[in-house]
Amino acid sequence: MVGMQPRCREASTRKNLNISTEFLFVKSAISVVRLSFMVALFLLSSVSAAVAPSPIRFLMSTKVFVLDAGKVSYVFGINELGMLQHMYWGGHVGRDEDFGTVPNARAWASFDLSTTTMPQEYPGWGAGLYVEPGIKATFPDGNRDLVLHYVDHQIVGNTLSVTLKDIERPLLVHLHYTVYPDTGILRREVTAENRTDKPVVLESLQSAAWYLPIGDGYRLRYLTGRWAGEWQLTEEPVHTGLKVLESRRGSTSSQANPWFAVDRDENSDSEHGAVWFGALGWSGSWRISVEQTPHQQVRVTGGFNTFDFGYRLAPGESLTTPPFYAGYTDGGIGEASRILHTFERTEILPNRSGLRTRPVLYNSWEATEFNVDETGQKALADKAASLGVERFVMDDGWFGQRKNDHAGLGDWYVNPQKFPNGLGPLIRHVKDLGMDFGLWVEPEMVNPDSDLYRKHPEWAMHFEGRPRTEARNQLVLNLARDDVREYIFHSLDELITANDIAFLKWDYNRNFSEPGWPEIPPDQQKNLWVRYGENLYNILDRLRQKHPVLEIESCSGGGGRVDLGILRRAEQVWSSDNTEAFDRLTIQQGFTYAYTPHIMMDWVTDVPNFNGRSVPLQFRFLVAMQGSLGIGANLNRWQTEDFALAKHMISVYKSIRETVQNGALYRLALPTAGNFIASEYVSEDQSQVVLFAFSHSQQFGRSVPPVLLRGLDERAIYTLARLDAKPQPKNSTSPGKLSGAYLMHHGVMLSLQGDYDSTALKLERISQ
Ligand code: GLA
């Protein structure tokens, strides 16, 4: 019957729990251990309770979980059906009792059952669920129904685990939550555990479903792109229906990045308004769906991409999703980015590298391409060192029979014609110049023209008897295989052990095709989508453990593999192969919505570059100085005045890099919005401020309006100094000292003129 049935209780009529004895035994053993653990924790927490209240609380009387992450509250509870139901995510509330009990689940007619209308914290696909499921499974008997009920939970410090179980079969789902009170970020991930005695195929396993307050009028921001044009910010209204952001390519991708931001305030500018935002920590195929139901329920679900997904979970096995991190702020998209920047630096980047600064780097790629040899690289290293460069990186071309991109990938031995004495003499030379040494590798790939492929053609990803699609003349190794994993690990380990290598630029220049794994039983072959990523992380983790000072840059033909998963294992990333400075402004702007400038490697390169555009060297420097500075030019072609300017700009950069890399970024004027572009970086203690400004295509007589700075101390006095090498304009009247209030309300006048002009200011606080 169609019509209003407001008190329909269809879900409660489903079968009650039917748990096997074996399951009950295991469960009670676990409960005993847990109980003693909980008692110990309780004793511990009662001692510390006086110091700080627990950030995670379970309110026994209302069966509600309250997670306090600093300025953010996140609340869900166990409803009358024993299911988890989301209640709130937003600004901090603090008074737990305000949330009351979990509202009753209500159906909307006979079409939208309560399973669908209630905001299930983590929905299993079953029992009339028509919205995006968190998990979808097929059992060997053909059963595909999964309804998850609460079993128990555990709170340890800043983490909460809630165990759910299917109403009939021992397929368990553990929801894990971690709160980060300093940033308000929540981390969620899910473990599916097969306690049945038969394999289960998971067709979807999502990390989390995030619910926004009921309503409409939301706007979604996300990042799309292409090779040499990554990080394009896209904005659109959220309408009823489902919007999918994804990569089906086996890796993160340039085409879309696993980051989202949703806001609602029509007038929201970059510094005001409520924003819910998040990012996935996974470098394989991923999916984020943004869904608005006809009942104005807006949710963002993300995790493993469901496309071609079919993970076989053997009896006793578990699979854990990638983490999905998300946050909330009422400080607009600007504050949302800054929260992520801080979070990435303090919680994600390996080895606490986010608290230090990045070295100035030279990379040989655009200078020499594949034509590397000992003499040529030494000559470039001499010149780079004279500029103040701190790390010298030799790019592609040094290994196997690598003369061009047709051969050599897979053979990680030093090319004896180019380096007859190995890499030792070059590395010693670089180190004697006071720099450390880095090397380019692309370990997950193989050229058909390589010793490795001749020996192991079965190691390349393929379907039996089908053509193998080449891209850049290369194939992807099937890293899901453990023998491939071991080959890559040992090749790199030997290379790093034999040579004093401080840094690897880890490249990945194509996406999956024919993702087959014919050597294992067909029902396990789709595990490749997950196993590949796990083995990649395994190699990176082991290399880092064995070589603790080794640093890594994640590159995928540019910014194709930047995500919070790889960033746990890489200190920096290559944001784009497009090094043309003006294009780069848009690329860098997009990048910083999701990722910190700390990790954003930017090179100064030669002109004309991509687009055939030639912008002045100072412009190129000031663009590249807004992240982690590198030089990628052919220094053999530089003139004396280029060296002089470069030396000056590098020394200036060293005086501001702490602020640029680890400070707070304010995007003052966007490259996508007009012909004037400005961004400001404020050091953590507000004592140093750096302003970068650029203009192009200026109409005669139209000057740049005063630029209002942000994030300063109103009462403080700041000194102003120009960082660019331009002469001070004759008619300049600007005083050398100004108050924070003046700078933020009146603003600062900049002299910019004509095409591709640029300037930068450094402000230092002298009093409070
Ligand atoms: C990719 C990288 C470049 C360079 C080349 C080398 O395109 O993004 O920076 O390393 O590979 O082949």
Side-chain angles (χ1 to χ4, degrees):
M1 183 192 119
V2 187
M4 295 288 285
Q5 296 174 341
R7 297 204 62 81
C8 175
R9 295 276 303 276
E10 79 298 332
S12 62
T13 62
R14 296 184 60 83
K15 257 194 270 170
N16 274 333
L17 298 185
N18 174 12
I19 308 173
S20 72
T21 353
E22 187 196 346
F23 173 70
L24 279 175
F25 172 75
V26 177
K27 192 172 164 341
S28 48
I30 290 172
S31 301
V32 172
V33 177
R34 271 192 189 156
L35 190 67
S36 8
F37 189 63
M38 300 294 274
V39 170
L41 269 177
F42 174 75
L43 291 175
L44 254 180
S45 60
S46 46
V47 177
S48 57
V51 186
S54 167
I56 300 178
R57 300 178 289 283
F58 178 62
L59 315 177
M60 202 72 97
S61 56
T62 50
K63 296 194 182 144
V64 165
F65 294 92
V66 177
L67 284 70
D68 272 343
K71 295 180 184 163
V72 175
S73 291
Y74 185 94
V75 184
F76 62 95
I78 307 165
N79 69 13
E80 52 175 353
L81 308 172
M83 300 169 93
L84 288 192
Q85 198 169 307
H86 180 81
M87 294 168 74
Y88 175 73
W89 179 32
H92 185 246
V93 174
R95 191 168 179 271
D96 293 349
E97 53 271 41
D98 289 354
F99 292 105
T101 51
V102 184
N104 288 342
R106 297 253 168 91
W108 184 260
S110 53
F111 289 101
D112 281 334
L113 308 179
S114 67
T115 330
T116 279
T117 55
M118 79 171 96
Q120 283 195 58
E121 179 70 7
Y122 191 77
W125 185 76
L129 183 84
Y130 304 117
V131 289
E132 200 65 12
I135 177 170
K136 181 177 185 309
T138 296
F139 294 88
D141 61 358
N143 172 50
R144 303 190 306 285
D145 184 47
L146 198 60
V147 177
L148 299 172
H149 278 205
Y150 168 86
V151 177
D152 63 9
H153 72 269
Q154 197 179 357
I155 298 170
V156 180
N158 284 6
T159 65
L160 162 70
S161 295
V162 185
T163 296
L164 311 177
K165 189 194 147 293
D166 176 52
I167 51 172
E168 184 239 344
R169 298 175 180 214
L171 184 77
L172 270 63
V173 172
H174 308 279
L175 311 185
H176 308 291
Y177 298 80
T178 306
V179 299
Y180 298 88
D182 291 346
T183 49
I185 299 273
L186 260 82
R187 169 189 166 130
R188 289 179 63 186
E189 64 207 320
V190 167
T191 303
E193 185 186 354
N194 179 9
R195 288 204 196 160
T196 74
D197 54 7
K198 299 212 170 54
V200 177
V201 176
L202 301 176
E203 279 130 12
S204 173
L205 190 65
Q206 301 301 299
S207 310
W210 302 97
Y211 289 86
L212 277 62
I214 287 276
D216 45 24
Y218 285 104
R219 163 179 55 180
L220 169 68
R221 286 182 172 101
Y222 57 102
L223 292 161
T224 59
R226 56 192 183 275
W227 173 77
E230 302 88 337
W231 311 109
Q232 311 296 314
L233 185 74
T234 310
E235 293 188 8
E236 65 196 32
V238 175
H239 291 306
T240 303
L242 187 80
K243 167 85 186 180
V244 175
L245 316 174
E246 65 170 355
S247 162
R248 299 179 173 192
R249 297 162 178 262
S251 66
T252 324
S253 99
S254 307
Q255 285 66 22
N257 189 269
W259 167 85
F260 76 90
V262 178
D263 68 4
R264 195 183 198 177
D265 183 351
E266 264 180 37
N267 301 315
S268 132
D269 68 9
S270 64
E271 299 297 329
H272 301 104
V275 185
W276 293 261
F277 57 93
L280 274 170
W282 180 235
S283 312
S285 289
W286 58 272
R287 181 175 195 266
I288 295 178
S289 65
V290 181
E291 184 177 20
Q292 178 173 308
T293 70
H295 303 280
Q296 295 166 296
Q297 192 185 84
V298 178
R299 36 198 236 130
V300 181
T301 308
F304 292 125
N305 198 327
T306 48
F307 180 80
D308 200 40
F309 199 77
Y311 192 92
R312 180 185 185 272
L313 205 56
E317 270 185 3
S318 299
L319 175 65
T320 298
T321 66
F324 199 165
Y325 304 90
Y328 165 83
T329 177
D330 60 5
I333 191 71
E335 183 64 10
S337 322
R338 288 189 292 276
I339 290 173
L340 274 175
H341 297 171
T342 305
F343 181 71
E344 288 153 4
R345 285 195 306 102
T346 55
E347 301 289 349
I348 298 285
L349 292 178
N351 209 7
R352 299 175 70 73
S353 69
L355 307 180
R356 301 188 294 274
T357 52
R358 309 293 312 140
V360 177
L361 169 158
Y362 178 81
N363 179 291
S364 66
W365 174 243
E366 291 197 22
T368 53
E369 297 208 338
F370 300 96
N371 300 322
V372 294
D373 62 21
E374 191 180 312
T375 323
Q377 293 294 301
K378 278 182 174 170
L380 283 171
D382 290 338
K383 296 189 171 81
S386 77
L387 298 174
V389 165
E390 296 155 317
R391 171 170 287 167
F392 182 85
V393 183
M394 177 162 66
D395 210 278
D396 201 349
W398 60 268
F399 55 91
Q401 293 306 310
R402 186 84 165 160
K403 296 184 190 69
N404 47 42
D405 62 15
H406 285 261
L409 288 173
D411 301 339
W412 298 108
Y413 63 85
V414 180
N415 180 292
Q417 284 80 42
K418 297 179 181 184
F419 296 92
N421 303 306
L423 296 179
L426 172 62
I427 297 180
R428 272 193 298 280
H429 187 78
V430 165
K431 296 210 76 170
D432 288 347
L433 289 165
M435 302 181 289
D436 65 23
F437 181 78
L439 197 61
W440 180 94
V441 289
E442 195 180 357
E444 299 151 77
M445 300 289 167
V446 66
N447 285 118
D449 184 2
S450 67
D451 297 344
L452 182 68
Y453 191 72
R454 283 182 280 274
K455 196 165 164 207
H456 282 299
E458 77 285 7
W459 280 11
M461 219 175 256
H462 69 286
F463 287 118
E464 205 55 67
R466 308 285 305 174
R468 302 176 180 200
T469 304
E470 292 179 24
R472 209 193 191 205
N473 312 302
Q474 63 197 53
L475 299 167
V476 186
L477 287 171
N478 182 1
L479 189 46
R481 292 174 60 125
D482 290 349
D483 48 4
V484 173
R485 179 193 68 202
E486 290 311 298
Y487 171 78
I488 295 177
F489 171 75
H490 290 296
S491 306
L492 295 176
D493 180 35
E494 278 162 31
L495 187 67
I496 302 163
T497 307
N499 297 287
D500 193 352
I501 294 171
F503 171 86
L504 288 181
K505 174 178 172 185
W506 186 296
D507 212 337
Y508 179 87
N509 275 308
R510 58 159 296 173
N511 298 125
F512 286 13
S513 62
E514 298 94 22
W517 188 355
E519 299 81 18
I520 63 167
D523 66 340
Q524 294 173 30
Q525 290 179 10
K526 286 184 175 175
N527 287 21
L528 176 143
W529 292 109
V530 173
R531 292 289 300 153
Y532 186 103
E534 287 176 347
N535 275 346
L536 170 66
Y537 289 167
N538 172 289
I539 297 171
L540 288 164
D541 292 343
R542 280 159 69 199
L543 281 177
R544 299 189 62 96
Q545 206 172 12
K546 188 137 183 239
H547 306 279
V549 293
L550 178 74
E551 295 199 334
I552 292 174
E553 174 176 285
S554 173
C555 172
S556 174
R561 191 151 67 188
V562 183
D563 58 78
L564 297 186
I566 207 78
L567 285 177
R568 297 195 85 90
R569 292 137 181 121
E571 280 80 2
Q572 65 184 47
V573 300
W574 182 226
S575 44
S576 181
D577 269 0
N578 184 346
T579 57
E580 196 287 308
F582 183 67
D583 274 13
R584 194 88 182 183
L585 283 170
T586 307
I587 288 171
Q588 294 182 182
Q589 176 213 324
F591 183 95
T592 63
Y593 281 103
Y595 301 103
T596 165
H598 179 100
I599 60 164
M600 182 172 71
M601 177 42 54
D602 303 314
W603 301 345
V604 174
T605 55
D606 291 323
V607 288
N609 207 309
F610 283 75
N611 270 342
R613 198 179 276 128
S614 290
V615 305
L617 186 56
Q618 175 185 283
F619 190 109
R620 285 176 267 153
F621 259 101
L622 292 181
V623 170
M625 283 161 68
Q626 294 180 81
S628 188
L629 176 65
I631 313 291
N634 187 350
L635 300 179
N636 297 323
R637 292 209 208 114
W638 274 21
Q639 306 299 314
T640 317
E641 58 273 22
D642 298 330
F643 279 101
L645 179 61
K647 211 170 161 179
H648 169 72
M649 297 311 275
I650 290 175
S651 94
V652 162
Y653 179 71
K654 288 178 182 170
S655 76
I656 56 162
R657 69 174 146 188
E658 170 71 39
T659 300
V660 169
Q661 295 176 11
N662 301 341
L665 166 65
Y666 295 85
R667 290 177 287 260
L668 303 182
L670 304 180
T672 39
N675 61 354
F676 169 68
I677 301 123
S679 47
E680 178 197 356
Y681 297 74
V682 181
S683 68
E684 212 178 342
D685 63 359
Q686 293 177 311
S687 66
Q688 189 184 70
V689 181
V690 185
L691 172 68
F692 294 94
F694 307 86
S695 70
H696 65 95
S697 327
Q698 188 203 35
Q699 278 196 19
F700 181 64
R702 278 193 83 85
S703 55
V704 173
V707 179
L708 307 185
L709 298 191
R710 292 187 181 137
L712 306 189
D713 177 351
E714 287 213 348
R715 289 156 308 153
I717 305 294
Y718 292 84
T719 58
L720 279 71
R722 288 264 297 272
L723 296 182
D724 56 73
K726 288 197 302 187
Q728 187 75 9
K730 281 197 197 80
N731 57 354
S732 166
T733 53
S734 79
K737 291 179 194 169
L738 291 169
S739 67
Y742 180 91
L743 289 162
M744 291 202 289
H745 303 310
H746 172 280
V748 61
M749 296 298 291
L750 299 174
S751 69
L752 287 166
Q753 232 183 355
D755 283 340
Y756 304 117
D757 200 0
S758 58
T759 186
L761 288 181
K762 177 164 76 173
L763 294 84
E764 309 265 12
R765 185 176 59 196
I766 51 168
S767 73
Q768 248 169 330

